[in-house]
Amino acid sequence: MKMNVPRAFHFLAILLLSTLCAVASPARLSDYIRPFVGAQGEGNTFPGPSAPFGMIQLSPDTDTTNWDTDSGYEYTDPTIQGFSLTHLSGTGCPDLGDFLFVPQVGEPALVAGTKDHPESGYQSAFTHDDESAAAGYYQVKLQKSGVNIELAAGERAGFLRFTFPASDAASILTDLSHIINGGRWRVAESRLRIEDGSTITGFHLVNGWAKERYLYFAARYSRPFDEARIISNGKPVTYQSYVNYRFRSHNEAAGTNLQFLARFKTGAGEVIQVKVAVSAVSAANALQNLDAEIPDWNFDRLREVTRTKWDRELASIQMEGSQEQKETFYTSLYHALLVPNLYQDSNGQYRGFDQNIHQAGKATEYTVFSLWDTFRAEHPLLALIQAQRDSDMINTLLDHYQQSADHLLPMWELQGNETWCMIGYHGVPVIVDGYLKGVKGFDAQRAYEAIKRTAMNPDYDGLAAYRILGWVPCDQEDESLSKTLEYAYDDWCIAQMAKALGKPADCGYFLKRAANYKNVYDSDLGWMRPKDASGNWRTNFDAHLFNGGTNLQDVTEATSSQYSWFVPQDVPGLIALMGGPEKFTAKLDSLFNATQSDLFKKEMSTNDLRGCIGEYWHGNEPSHHVIYLYSLAGQPWKAAERLHQVVSTQYGSGPNSLCGNDDCGQMSAWYLFTCLGFYPVCPASDYYVIGAPQIPRAAMHLSNGKTFTMTAANLSDRNIYVQSVKLNGKDWNSPLLPYRELKHGGTIAFIMGAQPSQWGTQIH
Amino acid sequence: MKMNVPRAFHFLAILLLSTLCAVASPARLSDYIRPFVGAQGEGNTFPGPSAPFGMIQLSPDTDTTNWDTDSGYEYTDPTIQGFSLTHLSGTGCPDLGDFLFVPQVGEPALVAGTKDHPESGYQSAFTHDDESAAAGYYQVKLQKSGVNIELAAGERAGFLRFTFPASDAASILTDLSHIINGGRWRVAESRLRIEDGSTITGFHLVNGWAKERYLYFAARYSRPFDEARIISNGKPVTYQSYVNYRFRSHNEAAGTNLQFLARFKTGAGEVIQVKVAVSAVSAANALQNLDAEIPDWNFDRLREVTRTKWDRELASIQMEGSQEQKETFYTSLYHALLVPNLYQDSNGQYRGFDQNIHQAGKATEYTVFSLWDTFRAEHPLLALIQAQRDSDMINTLLDHYQQSADHLLPMWELQGNETWCMIGYHGVPVIVDGYLKGVKGFDAQRAYEAIKRTAMNPDYDGLAAYRILGWVPCDQEDESLSKTLEYAYDDWCIAQMAKALGKPADCGYFLKRAANYKNVYDSDLGWMRPKDASGNWRTNFDAHLFNGGTNLQDVTEATSSQYSWFVPQDVPGLIALMGGPEKFTAKLDSLFNATQSDLFKKEMSTNDLRGCIGEYWHGNEPSHHVIYLYSLAGQPWKAAERLHQVVSTQYGSGPNSLCGNDDCGQMSAWYLFTCLGFYPVCPASDYYVIGAPQIPRAAMHLSNGKTFTMTAANLSDRNIYVQSVKLNGKDWNSPLLPYRELKHGGTIAFIMGAQPSQWGTQIH
């Protein structure tokens, strides 16, 4: 079925819709943000306030030692320990949670205590009835003390506002030994200093996921301390005689277990505010960041400034839909725009990958690069709507390449540290996709040098053998199957950059490497399979079990049945390898329709299983492009069904809506693209893959000033199938949405229907 | 007896002497330096090379855990562990010894092993026959490996030159966990990084005497590593599978027990050189310090540059005497000009007292301020012959005041840390003596603010009670007797500065405090005695035992019989208090002639007792001015006898020549002044006290360009008594040598004789 709408009418419709939109929608997009989304279960987000890509993230911590509560907050926990200044958003590994602030009334506890017995420490019971969160704002009333806490965050500085009951013994404890440690990390050193009667600074050095992480803070209190004490190992640091390690100062201390206790006599409803800021460089810079950003005591002003920033950033995609859809969509966009985080001080200094202090150049430095996740959809999204920041992030990657001991692009960067987490060299697709999508402001030659040197490093993760053999041998290297597949994709990206820069020899070389995926496809088994250096397949390998069921680390967080689809650079080649479109789609069907074996279930947590459809696991990134392969294999209606299923069951506006780690925005970015009806199956390529839109209309304001609009006529919970597509007014039967059709702005107009159609069934 | 030499002839004689001197003496003063002086026993000096006031001190370490081997080197030890980059000179507390370099041949050991069984580790036997040291140079051949090691040092950078035998398994280990720790300190964090095939950088953070001390280093090797390995906890840091804390890099690591092992195949006699530098700021700065100072591979050039610096600095006092006297004198001057140490990088950055990185202003920053020791003679010496550096040091004290959490002048500063070691606020006499002796280049008003605020700090060491009571009460505060006496002196210094700046009220106030010494004199006991807050004397107090024999900490490292003399600001008042000159001198006699009780001996080590004459203990600073009190009490011949006795028995040119800690040059500075015939009994006063010269002639070139010359006619081992003095051509019968007579240059001419004379016996 074809619709033929006159072009002029089409534009008029858009104009009309926009106007209606402006009238119908509430004044502010930030009102749709639901910070608790993902705060329950595997989502691992934090509910506290943050500015877009901000350096500071104030948020309550309910747990520090549970490995799976990586943001410090689990929605089902009954207690809150306190409010710390930094948090990871959606990672699968815990860290941060620096500098916990804890208001108390009565004799202050100095240890956290337990959830079951909050009276054993400073943590307090709370209920969600007494809790609220919004863009740049969080509030909770603690049951133990009756103190109401409000949090607001700017770029590098934030506010804690405490409303105390009347008390002779009100206090605010700052615990430097608190970190979200998953039971493993340690504070190697810390320092506290009372700068004056209402100001402190401090520091800790944490051996954590980031192996050597320095963070400093400064805090100014709205009223002078009635009493101020530094506490070391539970004892006040005071002038002491007869000791060998003599503290002579009340005003400063160093150690591994330091706390600061400010005591106050408070009247009923008395508000005490604390302004805080962080720096990775020095206490002096933290203080400078604080004073530069918050010169006054106006909590509400800071909250409003940050909320306005969110309004502005969220406006980059204006969409229509139900209240639930709007909340889900804008919260997803919120999560996509939280990370990477600003990582340079107001004076331009930052701590480099070499732990030296550098002065930033023209570009702004960022941190928290969860690249194995974010190269997929998060960075492709940023390349479209946050080009300036994406450029800064690419420059950060290049600075890290230059500063790293191994002259490698970062793998999983965290506050100036390489965590060596996950696999691949996925800085490459981030850079190349940015470069080919018109992200300017970085030196392409310098970028290419970084890319190539990274991909040629003989010491890196099996690369030497990969270069000789064409695959990473499973008898020499962990995660060899996944590495082979991902290296091949990254190599293809390099070839694209080499081509663009006029380096045909390099292009040819890396294109050859890009075909290496074929070397690990076992046509007898019908799945990708680990291979040793002699060319023998891994024995006793079951493609439907984690790591092939061998207990060897061949596959990264996945089964081969999940990983075998990772050939985004050559889907036709993969289809051919798997026996043509029919066998290919049948195999895809088998993934979604598989009965999960007991062993499969055993490897997954209950939450993980929520993210599964058969053996398809939306909760982790290797699956993220898989549904779109239906589109590329001529069965777009199956993509439509699965996309609708995932969007309906694995996203939403409640705390428990994310069934997998948000992974610094990747899970959310998948949702955003999917709603818009297309997805970057192969970042660094010149096309997106059309799926099926999930919202009736959206206008994406590209960073180049153009607007690309999507409309999905007739869309409903039943009308999930694409019937026809018009792209910039032309009939469009291809599943590919070329970047060139999007970059100048324009329109993609879907007509949706309740039945599969012939649209897109012809393979191009 | 009086001599009357015509003035013209006098000048001629000097001219002639100077000429003869130039002919007779060897070409270079630096040849007299004997770096082993004080390296045996209590002297606690180090034998390795250092530039004057240099930042880096390369030296062999024979021990790390013995509390009394504070420089890391004990001459009687049979083994050397290796060669580290920083050392304290003559302190009574161990620290530093950062970054040990150890050459080995054969399978390298990774632990130090024991002295008794050097085969249990990397330490090696050596003999003094295979060892030598000179200005800016040290050499030793290690018996285990046969490697010859040579060391040279510049300001911030140095050389290690290794001459290897032929070996397939030569290596140089760098041990970051090595520190001179006295069995107590710990490495809280360290980092190593292989920058390229012949360069490394590293860092450690040490919780030691300096509670939070950051030091970075860089090392460049003269040839590429054949193999380079970072070792963590005894195991190579390599790419490893199946571990949670994944090291993926060979090239960098963080941890608390890191080593770097460079392996080489060497030919016979092959020389491998390592250039090293340190920084308290960053690895990048260490590298910059290295390249700025040593652009080439010329070991001998650096050695010569530093030797030339020593020639120039030593020339500030040109003396005559026997070879032994010259060696002793110039080695003392060498030790006096080693410390404080440069503490700013070649780019002007330094780590402040607040642990922030600062950019130095016009003044150069220094570290290692052993002020309780050095205010006595070391800084008064520097004020005369190193005015520019003394000015920089005073500016450093003021910067520390400004940066300190307590806004106090430093007490015992070590690499940006307050160690809270010893007592008093003796930054005050350093600053005031400098100010009154014409040391320019610091802001007197700022200095006065720092001085006054320090002396008025209500939190500092019993000062609050002292201000109310007039003494530090022994029931509230440790070391109360010593504190009372030293505060009173420091207060007198403040009064002098207040007077000079036209602040009569302050002057009066602090002069009043300066008389507080009287409050702790027990006229019944005849000695200073601790007093409690109610005015009661400490009971069961024995003035002849450490701490009065009470096991309470009333007296700082001393007996009251030693401490009671500490009233430099009012010796006439003290004489009166003690019953007049006769009783005073009889009491002084009793000090020297006392029979040491068994309990007294028990408190002292054998080496300490070597520093004693009766109960007089030259080995520690409280006694240093005491002999000169004879001169002020009309019995200068007794001063002459005791000065000659101390100089003859407690100084020399051998390793065992110092019988007490050199204390960053104070013990040496005492010797230098004493040789010249006068001593700063009361720094910040306008006079020195004349004792008895110990060398025939010396010309002191003041920093203002003038020369003050001392001649001691007829001086011999028998002719130790002053017969007469001419000061600037005038007969001079006073024991006081006014600063005004010295500052314009001039001459003090002693005539010496074998018998006590009437000279100086009249009290002024």
Side-chain angles (χ1 to χ4, degrees):
Chain A
M1 192 171 139
K2 281 189 178 184
M3 273 185 57
N4 206 339
V5 186
R7 204 170 172 81
F9 178 80
H10 183 78
F11 277 130
L12 197 68
I14 289 169
L15 206 68
L16 195 68
L17 273 167
S18 304
T19 315
L20 284 171
C21 219
V23 173
S25 68
R28 306 184 64 163
L29 295 177
S30 58
D31 288 339
Y32 294 118
I33 295 173
R34 294 292 172 268
F36 288 108
V37 166
Q40 180 176 349
E42 297 287 312
N44 285 356
T45 58
F46 61 87
S50 171
F53 307 100
M55 188 159 161
I56 196 166
Q57 307 85 24
L58 292 83
S59 196
D61 292 335
T62 64
D63 201 306
T64 59
T65 56
N66 178 20
W67 186 263
D68 288 331
T69 304
D70 298 349
S71 74
Y73 185 92
E74 165 51 48
Y75 194 77
T76 58
D77 277 341
T79 57
I80 285 175
Q81 296 189 2
F83 308 87
S84 65
L85 307 190
T86 60
H87 293 85
L88 291 168
S89 183
T91 59
C93 189
D95 208 331
L96 310 190
D98 303 284
F99 314 124
L100 189 79
F101 285 74
V102 187
Q104 295 181 80
V105 167
E107 186 54 29
L110 302 178
V111 295
T114 62
K115 290 179 199 175
D116 294 342
H117 293 284
E119 72 283 1
S120 61
Y122 53 64
Q123 69 189 276
S124 169
F126 76 109
T127 73
H128 296 303
D129 291 342
D130 290 330
E131 189 188 33
S132 62
Y137 179 75
Y138 171 90
Q139 169 274 327
V140 70
K141 186 165 186 173
L142 295 178
Q143 293 187 336
K144 191 191 280 185
S145 60
V147 176
N148 191 60
I149 294 94
E150 295 166 285
L151 307 176
E155 300 289 322
R156 301 173 178 90
F159 257 111
L160 300 101
R161 178 157 70 181
F162 303 97
T163 305
F164 280 95
S167 172
D168 283 350
S171 65
I172 303 170
L173 182 77
T174 307
D175 193 341
L176 275 67
S177 71
H178 171 98
I179 41 170
I180 299 168
N181 62 36
R184 292 200 204 168
W185 316 140
R186 79 181 185 105
V187 172
E189 180 77 0
S190 59
R191 184 171 62 248
L192 258 172
R193 183 173 150 121
I194 302 172
E195 299 283 347
D196 61 36
S198 61
T199 309
I200 61 170
T201 59
F203 145 81
H204 63 197
L205 164 59
V206 179
N207 299 142
W209 187 18
K211 62 186 179 298
E212 194 186 24
R213 189 170 65 81
Y214 296 79
L215 203 71
Y216 301 79
F217 80 101
R220 293 195 189 278
Y221 295 68
S222 60
R223 54 166 274 200
F225 314 125
D226 289 344
E227 187 187 308
R229 277 206 181 284
I230 295 174
I231 293 159
S232 179
N233 292 319
K235 287 176 191 160
V237 169
T238 55
Y239 170 74
Q240 275 186 297
S241 301
Y242 306 110
V243 289
N244 280 313
Y245 196 90
R246 307 198 284 187
F247 283 115
R248 296 285 183 110
S249 173
H250 309 289
N251 293 323
E252 65 175 350
T256 54
N257 181 12
L258 294 182
Q259 297 171 313
F260 174 71
L261 184 66
R263 288 173 183 263
F264 303 95
K265 287 198 170 84
T266 50
E270 178 167 344
V271 170
I272 298 179
Q273 296 194 112
V274 185
K275 296 192 286 193
V276 291
V278 293
S279 162
V281 172
S282 66
N285 277 18
L287 212 44
Q288 197 176 332
N289 288 343
L290 178 55
D291 293 335
E293 190 164 358
I294 318 183
D296 53 26
W297 286 100
N298 195 334
F299 180 99
D300 295 328
R301 190 194 63 79
L302 182 70
R303 177 184 174 180
E304 177 55 30
V305 163
T306 295
R307 193 178 164 208
T308 302
K309 285 178 184 165
W310 280 115
D311 285 331
R312 192 167 56 232
E313 302 297 352
L314 297 185
S316 60
I317 308 181
Q318 283 171 305
M319 55 78 74
E320 286 175 42
S322 66
Q323 176 72 15
E324 166 74 7
Q325 279 176 324
K326 285 180 177 171
E327 290 175 6
T328 307
F329 190 93
Y330 283 115
T331 301
S332 295
L333 190 50
Y334 169 76
H335 281 143
L337 304 183
L338 276 176
V339 194
N341 301 113
L342 180 66
Y343 198 56
Q344 93 181 31
D345 290 332
S346 56
N347 63 8
Q349 291 185 324
Y350 71 99
R351 182 176 294 271
F353 227 44
D354 52 7
Q355 296 285 10
N356 289 313
I357 304 307
H358 297 261
Q359 188 71 32
K362 268 190 269 181
T364 300
E365 298 287 327
Y366 284 85
T367 186
V368 189
F369 286 94
S370 186
L371 293 166
W372 182 80
D373 305 297
T374 56
F375 84 87
R376 299 164 199 265
E378 166 73 10
H379 276 284
L381 178 71
L382 298 183
L384 292 177
I385 63 171
Q386 290 279 347
Q388 179 56 52
R389 283 196 172 103
D390 202 44
S391 169
D392 288 343
M393 290 166 193
I394 288 170
N395 275 305
T396 300
L397 299 183
L398 300 181
D399 288 341
H400 283 190
Y401 156 77
Q402 198 167 333
Q403 294 160 4
S404 92
D406 298 275
H407 295 293
L408 285 168
L409 286 166
M411 195 170 184
W412 209 122
E413 187 275 349
L414 178 54
Q415 292 199 2
N417 281 261
E418 178 55 83
T419 64
W420 301 118
C421 190
M422 309 313 293
I423 62 168
Y425 26 99
H426 299 311
V428 170
V430 171
I431 293 167
V432 180
D433 189 57
Y435 183 67
L436 297 175
K437 299 298 187 309
V439 171
K440 292 183 180 14
F442 65 93
D443 179 335
Q445 296 297 339
R446 181 184 175 219
Y448 186 75
E449 180 208 306
I451 286 169
K452 186 174 171 185
R453 191 160 167 188
T454 299
M456 299 300 279
N457 188 314
D459 295 326
Y460 183 73
D461 277 21
L463 260 181
Y466 170 82
R467 283 168 58 185
I468 294 165
L469 299 170
W471 66 90
V472 176
C474 65
D475 52 339
Q476 292 177 11
E477 182 78 17
D478 275 355
E479 308 181 50
S480 63
L481 184 66
S482 299
K483 284 175 184 171
T484 301
L485 292 172
E486 296 192 11
Y487 291 173
Y489 162 67
D490 290 340
D491 291 340
W492 180 86
C493 297
I494 300 174
Q496 305 315 300
M497 183 96 175
K499 191 175 158 195
L501 294 176
K503 298 174 191 287
D506 277 16
C507 180
Y509 169 75
F510 284 106
L511 277 183
K512 202 167 155 239
R513 280 172 51 161
N516 280 339
Y517 73 90
K518 294 176 181 168
N519 298 332
V520 289
Y521 184 72
D522 179 356
S523 53
D524 292 337
L525 185 67
W527 296 104
M528 302 289 179
R529 183 170 180 178
K531 193 188 261 183
D532 71 14
S534 309
N536 304 310
W537 297 116
R538 173 74 81 199
T539 51
N540 300 318
F541 186 82
D542 184 334
H544 303 280
L545 291 178
F546 265 55
N547 284 309
T550 60
N551 278 330
L552 299 167
Q553 305 287 322
D554 291 328
V555 194
T556 301
E557 299 183 349
T559 64
S560 175
S561 66
Q562 291 162 354
Y563 239 105
S564 291
W565 311 102
F566 193 77
V567 190
Q569 74 276 23
D570 186 16
V571 178
L574 180 67
I575 291 172
L577 207 60
M578 287 184 168
E582 268 185 55
K583 288 193 175 168
F584 181 84
T585 50
K587 196 184 284 284
L588 272 174
D589 292 347
S590 76
L591 180 73
F592 290 94
N593 299 328
T595 306
Q596 295 163 357
S597 68
D598 288 345
L599 276 171
F600 179 90
K601 288 181 189 168
K602 207 179 140 195
E603 295 273 1
M604 312 285 277
S605 71
T606 310
N607 269 323
D608 284 341
L609 284 173
R610 279 184 53 227
C612 289
I613 303 171
E615 283 174 17
Y616 172 86
W617 181 23
H618 191 73
N620 208 6
E621 276 69 11
S623 296
H624 276 192
H625 68 299
V626 171
I627 295 174
Y628 286 92
L629 298 181
Y630 275 122
S631 295
L632 293 171
Q635 300 193 346
W637 71 90
K638 288 188 183 163
E641 287 166 3
R642 294 303 179 186
L643 292 171
H644 185 254
Q645 182 180 7
V646 171
V647 165
S648 312
T649 60
Q650 306 207 1
Y651 290 91
S653 63
N656 199 20
S657 294
L658 288 176
C659 56
N661 304 154
D662 192 55
D663 284 320
C664 302
Q666 166 57 27
M667 193 69 85
S668 293
W670 183 95
Y671 175 85
L672 296 167
F673 273 115
T674 294
C675 282
L676 292 170
F678 55 93
Y679 185 82
V681 165
C682 183
S685 74
D686 55 5
Y687 65 90
Y688 304 87
V689 174
I690 294 173
Q694 306 293 319
I695 52 174
R697 187 185 179 281
M700 181 187 246
H701 302 296
L702 306 178
S703 292
N704 63 10
K706 311 289 183 184
T707 296
F708 187 72
T709 302
M710 183 282 294
T711 58
N714 305 331
L715 178 70
S716 72
D717 260 356
R718 292 188 58 240
N719 296 342
I720 64 172
Y721 299 101
V722 176
Q723 306 296 310
S724 70
V725 176
K726 271 197 187 294
L727 181 58
N728 292 329
K730 301 169 288 197
D731 288 338
W732 197 261
N733 289 308
S734 163
L736 304 183
L737 165 57
Y739 171 65
R740 67 175 180 274
E741 295 285 340
L742 179 152
K743 69 176 177 181
H744 303 299
T747 310
I748 187 164
F750 294 92
I751 307 288
M752 307 302 287
Q755 297 297 329
S757 74
Q758 286 303 306
W759 180 85
T761 52
Q762 202 164 349
I763 301 181
H764 296 259
Chain B
M1 192 172 142
K2 281 187 179 186
M3 271 184 58
N4 207 336
V5 185
R7 204 170 172 80
F9 177 78
H10 184 76
F11 276 129
L12 197 67
I14 290 169
L15 206 68
L16 194 67
L17 273 168
S18 304
T19 314
L20 283 171
C21 221
V23 174
S25 69
R28 306 183 65 162
L29 294 176
S30 58
D31 288 338
Y32 294 118
I33 295 173
R34 294 291 170 270
F36 288 108
V37 166
Q40 180 177 349
E42 297 286 313
N44 286 355
T45 58
F46 61 88
S50 170
F53 307 100
M55 189 159 161
I56 196 167
Q57 307 84 24
L58 292 85
S59 196
D61 292 336
T62 64
D63 200 305
T64 59
T65 56
N66 178 20
W67 186 265
D68 288 331
T69 304
D70 298 349
S71 74
Y73 184 93
E74 165 51 46
Y75 193 78
T76 58
D77 278 342
T79 58
I80 284 175
Q81 297 190 0
F83 308 87
S84 65
L85 307 190
T86 60
H87 293 86
L88 291 168
S89 183
T91 59
C93 189
D95 209 330
L96 310 190
D98 303 285
F99 314 124
L100 189 78
F101 284 75
V102 188
Q104 295 180 81
V105 168
E107 185 55 31
L110 302 177
V111 296
T114 63
K115 290 179 201 176
D116 293 343
H117 293 284
E119 71 284 0
S120 61
Y122 53 63
Q123 67 189 278
S124 168
F126 76 108
T127 72
H128 296 303
D129 291 343
D130 290 329
E131 188 189 33
S132 62
Y137 180 74
Y138 171 89
Q139 170 275 327
V140 71
K141 185 165 185 174
L142 296 178
Q143 294 187 339
K144 192 190 279 185
S145 61
V147 176
N148 191 60
I149 294 95
E150 296 166 282
L151 308 175
E155 301 287 323
R156 302 172 178 90
F159 257 112
L160 299 100
R161 179 156 72 180
F162 301 97
T163 305
F164 280 95
S167 173
D168 282 350
S171 65
I172 303 169
L173 182 78
T174 307
D175 193 341
L176 274 67
S177 70
H178 170 98
I179 41 168
I180 299 167
N181 61 36
R184 293 198 203 170
W185 317 141
R186 79 179 185 109
V187 172
E189 179 78 358
S190 59
R191 183 172 63 247
L192 257 172
R193 183 173 150 121
I194 302 172
E195 299 283 348
D196 61 36
S198 60
T199 309
I200 62 170
T201 58
F203 146 81
H204 62 197
L205 163 58
V206 179
N207 300 141
W209 187 19
K211 62 185 179 300
E212 194 185 24
R213 188 171 64 81
Y214 297 78
L215 203 70
Y216 302 79
F217 80 101
R220 293 196 190 276
Y221 295 68
S222 60
R223 53 167 273 197
F225 314 124
D226 289 342
E227 186 188 308
R229 279 205 179 285
I230 295 174
I231 294 158
S232 179
N233 292 318
K235 287 176 191 158
V237 169
T238 55
Y239 170 73
Q240 276 186 295
S241 301
Y242 308 110
V243 289
N244 279 312
Y245 196 91
R246 307 199 283 187
F247 282 117
R248 297 283 183 112
S249 174
H250 309 288
N251 294 323
E252 65 174 349
T256 55
N257 181 12
L258 294 182
Q259 297 170 314
F260 173 71
L261 184 66
R263 288 175 185 263
F264 303 95
K265 288 198 170 83
T266 50
E270 180 168 344
V271 170
I272 298 178
Q273 296 193 111
V274 185
K275 296 192 285 193
V276 292
V278 293
S279 163
V281 172
S282 66
N285 277 18
L287 212 45
Q288 196 176 333
N289 288 343
L290 178 56
D291 293 335
E293 190 165 358
I294 317 184
D296 54 25
W297 286 100
N298 194 335
F299 181 100
D300 295 328
R301 190 195 63 79
L302 182 69
R303 178 186 174 180
E304 178 55 31
V305 163
T306 295
R307 192 176 166 210
T308 302
K309 284 177 183 166
W310 279 116
D311 285 331
R312 192 167 56 233
E313 301 297 354
L314 297 185
S316 60
I317 309 180
Q318 283 170 305
M319 56 79 73
E320 284 174 43
S322 66
Q323 177 70 15
E324 167 74 8
Q325 280 176 322
K326 285 179 176 171
E327 290 175 5
T328 307
F329 191 94
Y330 283 114
T331 301
S332 296
L333 189 48
Y334 169 79
H335 282 143
L337 304 183
L338 278 175
V339 195
N341 301 114
L342 181 65
Y343 198 56
Q344 96 182 28
D345 291 333
S346 55
N347 64 7
Q349 290 186 325
Y350 71 99
R351 183 176 294 271
F353 227 45
D354 52 7
Q355 297 285 12
N356 289 313
I357 305 307
H358 297 260
Q359 188 71 33
K362 269 190 271 183
T364 301
E365 297 287 327
Y366 283 86
T367 186
V368 187
F369 287 94
S370 185
L371 293 166
W372 182 78
D373 305 298
T374 56
F375 84 85
R376 297 165 202 265
E378 166 73 10
H379 276 285
L381 178 70
L382 298 183
L384 293 177
I385 63 171
Q386 291 278 348
Q388 180 54 53
R389 284 196 172 102
D390 202 45
S391 168
D392 288 343
M393 291 165 193
I394 289 169
N395 274 304
T396 300
L397 299 182
L398 299 181
D399 288 341
H400 283 189
Y401 155 77
Q402 200 167 333
Q403 294 160 4
S404 91
D406 299 275
H407 296 293
L408 285 168
L409 286 166
M411 196 170 183
W412 210 121
E413 187 276 348
L414 178 54
Q415 290 198 3
N417 281 262
E418 179 55 82
T419 65
W420 301 118
C421 189
M422 310 313 294
I423 61 168
Y425 26 99
H426 299 311
V428 170
V430 170
I431 293 166
V432 180
D433 189 56
Y435 183 67
L436 298 175
K437 299 299 189 309
V439 172
K440 294 184 179 14
F442 64 93
D443 179 335
Q445 296 297 340
R446 181 185 174 220
Y448 186 75
E449 179 206 306
I451 286 169
K452 185 173 172 185
R453 190 159 166 190
T454 298
M456 299 300 279
N457 187 313
D459 295 324
Y460 183 74
D461 277 20
L463 259 180
Y466 170 83
R467 283 167 58 183
I468 295 164
L469 298 170
W471 66 91
V472 177
C474 64
D475 51 339
Q476 292 177 10
E477 183 78 16
D478 274 355
E479 308 182 51
S480 64
L481 184 65
S482 299
K483 284 175 183 171
T484 302
L485 293 172
E486 296 190 13
Y487 291 173
Y489 162 67
D490 290 339
D491 291 341
W492 179 86
C493 296
I494 301 172
Q496 305 315 300
M497 183 95 174
K499 192 175 156 196
L501 295 176
K503 299 173 189 291
D506 278 14
C507 179
Y509 169 74
F510 283 106
L511 277 182
K512 201 166 156 239
R513 280 172 49 159
N516 279 340
Y517 73 91
K518 294 176 182 169
N519 297 333
V520 288
Y521 183 73
D522 178 356
S523 54
D524 292 338
L525 185 66
W527 296 104
M528 301 289 178
R529 184 170 180 178
K531 194 188 258 183
D532 71 15
S534 308
N536 304 310
W537 297 116
R538 175 72 84 199
T539 51
N540 302 317
F541 187 82
D542 185 335
H544 303 280
L545 292 177
F546 265 55
N547 283 310
T550 61
N551 278 330
L552 299 166
Q553 305 288 322
D554 291 329
V555 194
T556 301
E557 299 182 349
T559 63
S560 177
S561 66
Q562 291 161 354
Y563 238 106
S564 291
W565 312 102
F566 193 77
V567 190
Q569 74 277 23
D570 186 15
V571 178
L574 181 66
I575 291 172
L577 207 60
M578 288 184 168
E582 268 185 55
K583 288 192 176 170
F584 181 85
T585 50
K587 194 184 284 286
L588 271 175
D589 292 346
S590 77
L591 180 73
F592 290 94
N593 298 328
T595 305
Q596 295 163 356
S597 68
D598 288 345
L599 276 171
F600 179 90
K601 288 181 189 169
K602 204 178 142 196
E603 295 272 1
M604 311 285 276
S605 72
T606 310
N607 268 323
D608 284 341
L609 283 174
R610 280 183 53 228
C612 288
I613 303 171
E615 284 174 15
Y616 172 86
W617 182 22
H618 192 71
N620 208 6
E621 277 69 13
S623 294
H624 277 192
H625 69 298
V626 171
I627 294 174
Y628 287 92
L629 298 181
Y630 275 124
S631 294
L632 293 170
Q635 300 190 349
W637 72 91
K638 288 187 182 165
E641 287 167 3
R642 293 304 179 187
L643 292 171
H644 185 255
Q645 182 180 7
V646 171
V647 165
S648 312
T649 61
Q650 306 206 359
Y651 290 91
S653 62
N656 199 20
S657 293
L658 288 175
C659 56
N661 304 153
D662 192 54
D663 284 321
C664 303
Q666 166 58 26
M667 194 69 85
S668 293
W670 184 94
Y671 175 84
L672 295 167
F673 272 116
T674 294
C675 282
L676 292 170
F678 55 92
Y679 185 83
V681 165
C682 184
S685 75
D686 55 4
Y687 65 89
Y688 304 87
V689 174
I690 295 172
Q694 304 294 317
I695 52 174
R697 187 182 178 283
M700 182 187 246
H701 303 294
L702 306 177
S703 293
N704 64 9
K706 311 290 184 184
T707 297
F708 187 72
T709 302
M710 183 283 293
T711 58
N714 305 330
L715 178 71
S716 73
D717 261 357
R718 292 188 58 240
N719 295 342
I720 64 171
Y721 299 102
V722 175
Q723 306 296 309
S724 70
V725 177
K726 271 196 188 297
L727 181 59
N728 292 328
K730 300 168 290 194
D731 289 337
W732 197 261
N733 290 308
S734 164
L736 304 182
L737 165 56
Y739 170 65
R740 65 173 183 277
E741 296 286 340
L742 178 153
K743 69 176 176 180
H744 303 298
T747 309
I748 186 164
F750 293 94
I751 307 288
M752 308 301 288
Q755 297 298 326
S757 74
Q758 285 303 306
W759 180 86
T761 53
Q762 202 165 351
I763 302 181
H764 295 257

